[in-house]
Amino acid sequence: MLDFRFNGEILCMGSINMDLVMVMEHLPVPGETIVTDNFSTYPGGKGGNQAVTAAVQGSKVTMLSKLGGDSFSEQLIEAMRARGVDTSRILRDREKTAGIAIIRVDRKGQNSISFTPGSNAFLTPEDVLENSDLFAPGKILLLTMEISLETIYAALRLAAKRGMFVIVDPAPAPSTPFPADIPQLIDIVKPNESEASALTGIEVRDEKSAEEAAKQLKEMGFKLPVVTLGEAGVIAWVDGSLLKIPPVKVECVDTTAAGDVFSGTLASALSLGRGLEEALEIANCAGALSTTVAGAQTSIPDREEVERLFEKRV
Ligand code: ADP
């Protein structure tokens, strides 16, 4: 099914952000100051979440991205390094800050978010070329979209030239269609429901419409479309037929980063030699487990926990 010799290594590209979260009685109106004693910082960003997940699941992961000169950037690098990611290719633009999300949450759980991509937006196609030694056969390129599209295209073209296996998590879905040569450079594309809708123009709301969207993605040139459906599980279009992975029943408390944990685990399982169907099942287990714990990088399950759940299901 998959004609590729994986070597256990993953090159991860995407955003790294710090989430600054305050929980308060109600959200402030213009001019109002609200006092709260509830403030936390959480390392996040889709690229960071996926890199940490893949490292925790046992792969050798290098992150290629850009951070700033602020103290959040230092903390973010340290958080990733501490969990096993090779951070030596996280570039720095000392004039910029890290990507920052300021999140206010009220007592009813409603939120208001301000976001700046900061240094993430300044990772360039030249940066990709200057680090082209990272693009090597046997490795997986795992890519998300919260960085410049030109940089993404440069990375995809280089990865294809070097014979890498490419997984793209198209989140958030790009506002302009992919250039004509791009879809066929991507081995696995893994949208969730809303990203699948944006990419195909088919409104995905149930399994039937997800199947249509997966078929459409295949026709657009993506080799292996995988659509995640939240609590409804996963569908994939593999070798001309549809594969359905049923959901795992869990006590869900917070779905933040479920998609990132799914993608990071899928990449890791493949890189470590698991078959495609098995890797999808394992990622489905990891995604489900991540929803039982609050937060993004805090909710990444460890490898043993994922394997235990997987073994129970087969
Ligand atoms: P995203 O976070 O990108 O929106 P999804 O919500 O589709 O991604 O979740 C990704 C995967 O995580 C799902 O396909 C599933 O495997 C798992 N998952 C997410 N939410 C749940 C849930 N409530 N129960 C069980 N598994 C879940």
Side-chain angles (χ1 to χ4, degrees), residues 156 166 168 178 182-189 221-224:
L156 290 173
V166 176
V168 171
F178 283 111
I182 292 293
Q184 54 265 38
L185 307 181
I186 297 171
D187 292 288
I188 295 180
V189 67
F222 299 100
K223 290 180 198 144
L224 245 160

Side-chain angles (χ1 to χ4, degrees), residues 190 192 228-231 233-234 248 250 252 255 258-259 262 284 287-288 291:
K190 188 233 70 84
N192 66 8
T228 59
L229 303 170
E231 63 187 356
V234 183
V248 184
V250 286
C252 169
T255 61
F262 180 93
N284 188 43
T291 69

Side-chain angles (χ1 to χ4, degrees), residues 41-64:
T41 55
Y42 297 106
K46 298 191 71 65
N49 297 344
Q50 295 188 11
V52 170
T53 301
V56 167
Q57 301 307 316
S59 298
K60 188 169 180 303
V61 180
T62 305
M63 183 85 199
L64 175 57

Side-chain angles (χ1 to χ4, degrees), residues 306-314:
V306 176
E307 282 293 336
R308 264 199 310 275
L309 180 57
F310 171 67
E311 291 300 333
K312 222 163 76 188
R313 275 170 64 86
V314 289

Side-chain angles (χ1 to χ4, degrees), residues 22-37 104:
M22 270 195 202
V23 182
M24 56 195 67
E25 199 48 31
H26 66 268
L27 302 178
V29 296
E32 186 179 11
T33 301
I34 308 270
V35 177
T36 173
D37 60 1
R104 295 188 181 91

